[in-house]
Amino acid sequence: MARLNLWRWGVLGLAGLYFLVPLAASVVFTVDVPGQGLTFDAYGQIFSTEGFVSSLLLSLELALATIVVVLLLMVPAMVALRLGAPRLRPVVEVVCSLPLVVPPIAFVAGIGTVLKWGPEHLSRTPLFQTFVAIQNPDFPVVLVLAYVVMALPFVYRALDAGLRAIDVRTLVEAARSCGAGWPQALVRAVLPNLRGALLNASFLTLALVLGEFTVAQLLGFQPFAVWIVNVSGSQAQLSVAVSVLSLLVTWVLLLVMAGFGGRTRSDSRG
């Protein structure tokens, strides 16, 4: 047992060094200027650089919209699948896993083809305005739709693990026997027991949206990840500082979500 614990701590220590040493080296590089000593000018330049606030807010808005849409789509579907059609579970699993095997370049090429096809063939129909509206740079709905598809594998796995841990049928039947309708049974009986799975799915979706670059760049939009790449080509220290800041922003948001989820659980127990 002692050897097992030693081996475990050794593996954890190596994993920690693997992640922390490059991060620490990056931080030192951004604050240590030869001949000047320690300075935080690189981080100060980030906040004064044009597009920082707008790109970060856009990514947060896209992340929130993606989380809401993908959960509204997947939670009722997976509950209905578990209750009424468990034999279709392998089919749904394969469909939700397809974004993992489709290269992002091919995915965004297909989206671009559809967006170009719409105005050419629907310019005289009301749908033309729809194609224009979903490409609004202030809030590109097309990115939300793309991110929902890309998040399906992660959300499916998180929700599937949560549903496996509870007896959905018993919870729904108990709620129905008390006079609750199907929406009430889902909201009041099932969702409270899926709080951990919903939080995990939100974590993964948030990280995906904040770090996604290929789709947004090729479609011509500038959320936070694209802004980081565009602004990082001018100065080396500024480039690394932006990368460190983006990592810290992601961590802070995840910690806030984790804290909110833990507080909600404690309140419900109390």
Side-chain angles (χ1 to χ4, degrees):
M1 183 64 67
R3 291 183 178 179
L4 181 61
N5 290 333
L6 182 62
W7 174 255
R8 181 181 304 169
W9 283 108
V11 172
L12 291 176
L14 290 176
L17 290 176
Y18 179 81
F19 288 104
L20 293 179
V21 169
L23 180 60
S26 300
V27 173
V28 171
F29 176 76
T30 59
V31 300
D32 185 16
V33 179
Q36 299 182 15
L38 296 180
T39 176
F40 293 91
D41 291 342
Y43 292 95
Q45 293 177 14
I46 296 176
F47 297 99
S48 60
T49 304
E50 183 180 0
F52 169 75
V53 176
S54 60
S55 62
L56 180 58
L57 291 178
L58 176 59
S59 287
L60 294 178
E61 292 172 358
L62 292 173
L64 179 60
T66 303
I67 291 172
V68 172
V69 173
V70 75
L71 290 182
L72 288 177
L73 176 67
M74 291 299 296
V75 172
M78 294 195 65
V79 171
L81 183 70
R82 200 165 188 85
L83 292 176
R87 294 183 179 180
L88 293 178
R89 181 179 172 274
V91 178
V92 176
E93 182 176 3
V94 170
V95 172
C96 290
S97 300
L98 285 178
L100 294 177
V101 299
V102 177
I105 297 295
F107 180 54
V108 72
I111 296 176
T113 301
V114 173
L115 294 178
K116 292 178 181 178
W117 174 86
E120 293 177 358
H121 296 81
L122 303 175
S123 58
R124 298 183 179 180
T125 68
L127 290 178
F128 174 72
Q129 295 300 326
T130 302
F131 275 86
V132 174
I134 65 175
Q135 300 179 69
N136 185 355
D138 294 334
F139 186 78
V141 179
V142 64
L143 283 185
V144 175
L145 301 178
Y147 293 157
V148 167
V149 175
M150 297 173 67
L152 284 180
F154 312 106
V155 174
Y156 174 84
R157 293 295 180 184
L159 294 180
D160 184 62
L163 289 171
R164 286 175 177 269
I166 63 176
D167 190 349
V168 180
R169 188 175 299 276
T170 300
L171 289 173
V172 172
E173 289 178 354
R176 294 282 291 168
S177 65
C178 294
W182 284 105
Q184 289 180 322
L186 178 63
V187 173
R188 296 189 177 183
V190 179
L191 291 186
N193 292 279
L194 285 178
R195 189 176 291 112
L198 295 174
L199 195 60
N200 292 335
S202 301
F203 281 169
L204 297 171
T205 305
L206 175 64
L208 170 69
V209 174
L210 290 181
E212 201 286 320
F213 169 79
T214 304
V215 175
Q217 171 69 16
L218 294 180
L219 290 180
F221 302 108
Q222 188 171 319
F224 193 51
V226 177
W227 178 84
I228 290 175
V229 176
N230 292 339
V231 78
S232 62
S234 55
Q235 301 180 25
Q237 277 193 322
L238 180 62
S239 171
V240 178
V242 168
S243 299
V244 172
L245 181 63
S246 65
L247 184 61
L248 293 178
V249 167
T250 304
W251 283 357
V252 168
L253 291 174
L254 294 180
L255 289 175
V256 169
M257 293 177 64
F260 177 77
R263 186 179 62 182
T264 305
R265 282 195 292 270
S266 62
D267 293 342
S268 62
R269 289 176 182 175

PDB file of all heavy atoms in Angstrom, residues 255-267:
ATOM      1  N   LEU A 255     -14.171  28.173 -11.891  1.00  0.00           N
ATOM      2  CA  LEU A 255     -14.277  28.184 -10.435  1.00  0.00           C
ATOM      3  C   LEU A 255     -15.565  28.862  -9.981  1.00  0.00           C
ATOM      4  O   LEU A 255     -16.193  28.424  -9.008  1.00  0.00           O
ATOM      5  CB  LEU A 255     -13.067  28.899  -9.833  1.00  0.00           C
ATOM      6  CG  LEU A 255     -11.725  28.154  -9.917  1.00  0.00           C
ATOM      7  CD1 LEU A 255     -10.593  29.034  -9.394  1.00  0.00           C
ATOM      8  CD2 LEU A 255     -11.784  26.843  -9.146  1.00  0.00           C
ATOM      9  N   VAL A 256     -15.962  29.918 -10.674  1.00  0.00           N
ATOM     10  CA  VAL A 256     -17.222  30.582 -10.335  1.00  0.00           C
ATOM     11  C   VAL A 256     -18.399  29.638 -10.541  1.00  0.00           C
ATOM     12  O   VAL A 256     -19.300  29.540  -9.694  1.00  0.00           O
ATOM     13  CB  VAL A 256     -17.390  31.861 -11.183  1.00  0.00           C
ATOM     14  CG1 VAL A 256     -18.810  32.418 -11.046  1.00  0.00           C
ATOM     15  CG2 VAL A 256     -16.376  32.909 -10.745  1.00  0.00           C
ATOM     16  N   MET A 257     -18.389  28.916 -11.659  1.00  0.00           N
ATOM     17  CA  MET A 257     -19.463  27.960 -11.920  1.00  0.00           C
ATOM     18  C   MET A 257     -19.455  26.849 -10.890  1.00  0.00           C
ATOM     19  O   MET A 257     -20.509  26.402 -10.415  1.00  0.00           O
ATOM     20  CB  MET A 257     -19.322  27.394 -13.333  1.00  0.00           C
ATOM     21  CG  MET A 257     -19.549  28.398 -14.437  1.00  0.00           C
ATOM     22  SD  MET A 257     -19.297  27.718 -16.083  1.00  0.00           S
ATOM     23  CE  MET A 257     -20.620  26.503 -16.125  1.00  0.00           C
ATOM     24  N   ALA A 258     -18.251  26.368 -10.510  1.00  0.00           N
ATOM     25  CA  ALA A 258     -18.166  25.313  -9.503  1.00  0.00           C
ATOM     26  C   ALA A 258     -18.666  25.808  -8.154  1.00  0.00           C
ATOM     27  O   ALA A 258     -19.375  25.103  -7.441  1.00  0.00           O
ATOM     28  CB  ALA A 258     -16.725  24.816  -9.393  1.00  0.00           C
ATOM     29  N   GLY A 259     -18.290  27.043  -7.801  1.00  0.00           N
ATOM     30  CA  GLY A 259     -18.768  27.597  -6.544  1.00  0.00           C
ATOM     31  C   GLY A 259     -20.273  27.786  -6.526  1.00  0.00           C
ATOM     32  O   GLY A 259     -20.935  27.523  -5.524  1.00  0.00           O
ATOM     33  N   PHE A 260     -20.825  28.231  -7.643  1.00  0.00           N
ATOM     34  CA  PHE A 260     -22.272  28.396  -7.743  1.00  0.00           C
ATOM     35  C   PHE A 260     -22.980  27.058  -7.608  1.00  0.00           C
ATOM     36  O   PHE A 260     -23.989  26.939  -6.920  1.00  0.00           O
ATOM     37  CB  PHE A 260     -22.635  29.056  -9.066  1.00  0.00           C
ATOM     38  CG  PHE A 260     -24.116  29.209  -9.279  1.00  0.00           C
ATOM     39  CD1 PHE A 260     -24.826  30.206  -8.645  1.00  0.00           C
ATOM     40  CD2 PHE A 260     -24.806  28.338 -10.123  1.00  0.00           C
ATOM     41  CE1 PHE A 260     -26.191  30.341  -8.843  1.00  0.00           C
ATOM     42  CE2 PHE A 260     -26.161  28.468 -10.322  1.00  0.00           C
ATOM     43  CZ  PHE A 260     -26.864  29.475  -9.678  1.00  0.00           C
ATOM     44  N   GLY A 261     -22.431  26.021  -8.262  1.00  0.00           N
ATOM     45  CA  GLY A 261     -23.034  24.695  -8.164  1.00  0.00           C
ATOM     46  C   GLY A 261     -22.954  24.130  -6.773  1.00  0.00           C
ATOM     47  O   GLY A 261     -23.908  23.534  -6.261  1.00  0.00           O
ATOM     48  N   GLY A 262     -21.812  24.338  -6.072  1.00  0.00           N
ATOM     49  CA  GLY A 262     -21.690  23.851  -4.706  1.00  0.00           C
ATOM     50  C   GLY A 262     -22.625  24.572  -3.763  1.00  0.00           C
ATOM     51  O   GLY A 262     -23.225  23.969  -2.873  1.00  0.00           O
ATOM     52  N   ARG A 263     -22.779  25.897  -3.949  1.00  0.00           N
ATOM     53  CA  ARG A 263     -23.698  26.654  -3.096  1.00  0.00           C
ATOM     54  C   ARG A 263     -25.133  26.228  -3.321  1.00  0.00           C
ATOM     55  O   ARG A 263     -25.925  26.122  -2.382  1.00  0.00           O
ATOM     56  CB  ARG A 263     -23.546  28.142  -3.385  1.00  0.00           C
ATOM     57  CG  ARG A 263     -24.350  29.024  -2.449  1.00  0.00           C
ATOM     58  CD  ARG A 263     -24.146  30.487  -2.771  1.00  0.00           C
ATOM     59  NE  ARG A 263     -24.611  30.790  -4.114  1.00  0.00           N
ATOM     60  CZ  ARG A 263     -24.497  32.005  -4.649  1.00  0.00           C
ATOM     61  NH1 ARG A 263     -23.922  32.983  -3.976  1.00  0.00           N
ATOM     62  NH2 ARG A 263     -24.947  32.217  -5.875  1.00  0.00           N
ATOM     63  N   THR A 264     -25.482  25.927  -4.567  1.00  0.00           N
ATOM     64  CA  THR A 264     -26.838  25.472  -4.858  1.00  0.00           C
ATOM     65  C   THR A 264     -27.132  24.139  -4.195  1.00  0.00           C
ATOM     66  O   THR A 264     -28.203  23.903  -3.650  1.00  0.00           O
ATOM     67  CB  THR A 264     -27.042  25.364  -6.368  1.00  0.00           C
ATOM     68  OG1 THR A 264     -26.731  26.615  -6.976  1.00  0.00           O
ATOM     69  CG2 THR A 264     -28.470  24.985  -6.710  1.00  0.00           C
ATOM     70  N   ARG A 265     -26.138  23.234  -4.219  1.00  0.00           N
ATOM     71  CA  ARG A 265     -26.320  21.936  -3.580  1.00  0.00           C
ATOM     72  C   ARG A 265     -26.497  22.090  -2.082  1.00  0.00           C
ATOM     73  O   ARG A 265     -27.338  21.450  -1.449  1.00  0.00           O
ATOM     74  CB  ARG A 265     -25.130  21.021  -3.897  1.00  0.00           C
ATOM     75  CG  ARG A 265     -25.171  20.419  -5.275  1.00  0.00           C
ATOM     76  CD  ARG A 265     -24.192  19.271  -5.373  1.00  0.00           C
ATOM     77  NE  ARG A 265     -22.812  19.750  -5.295  1.00  0.00           N
ATOM     78  CZ  ARG A 265     -22.088  20.100  -6.322  1.00  0.00           C
ATOM     79  NH1 ARG A 265     -22.603  20.057  -7.546  1.00  0.00           N
ATOM     80  NH2 ARG A 265     -20.846  20.521  -6.160  1.00  0.00           N
ATOM     81  N   SER A 266     -25.681  22.959  -1.436  1.00  0.00           N
ATOM     82  CA  SER A 266     -25.788  23.151   0.010  1.00  0.00           C
ATOM     83  C   SER A 266     -27.123  23.785   0.376  1.00  0.00           C
ATOM     84  O   SER A 266     -27.722  23.436   1.399  1.00  0.00           O
ATOM     85  CB  SER A 266     -24.630  24.017   0.508  1.00  0.00           C
ATOM     86  OG  SER A 266     -24.663  25.301  -0.082  1.00  0.00           O
ATOM     87  N   ASP A 267     -27.601  24.716  -0.447  1.00  0.00           N
ATOM     88  CA  ASP A 267     -28.899  25.329  -0.175  1.00  0.00           C
ATOM     89  C   ASP A 267     -30.025  24.320  -0.274  1.00  0.00           C
ATOM     90  O   ASP A 267     -30.967  24.340   0.538  1.00  0.00           O
ATOM     91  CB  ASP A 267     -29.143  26.481  -1.153  1.00  0.00           C
ATOM     92  CG  ASP A 267     -28.188  27.650  -0.923  1.00  0.00           C
ATOM     93  OD1 ASP A 267     -27.589  27.706   0.181  1.00  0.00           O
ATOM     94  OD2 ASP A 267     -28.035  28.489  -1.819  1.00  0.00           O
TER      95      ASP A 267
END
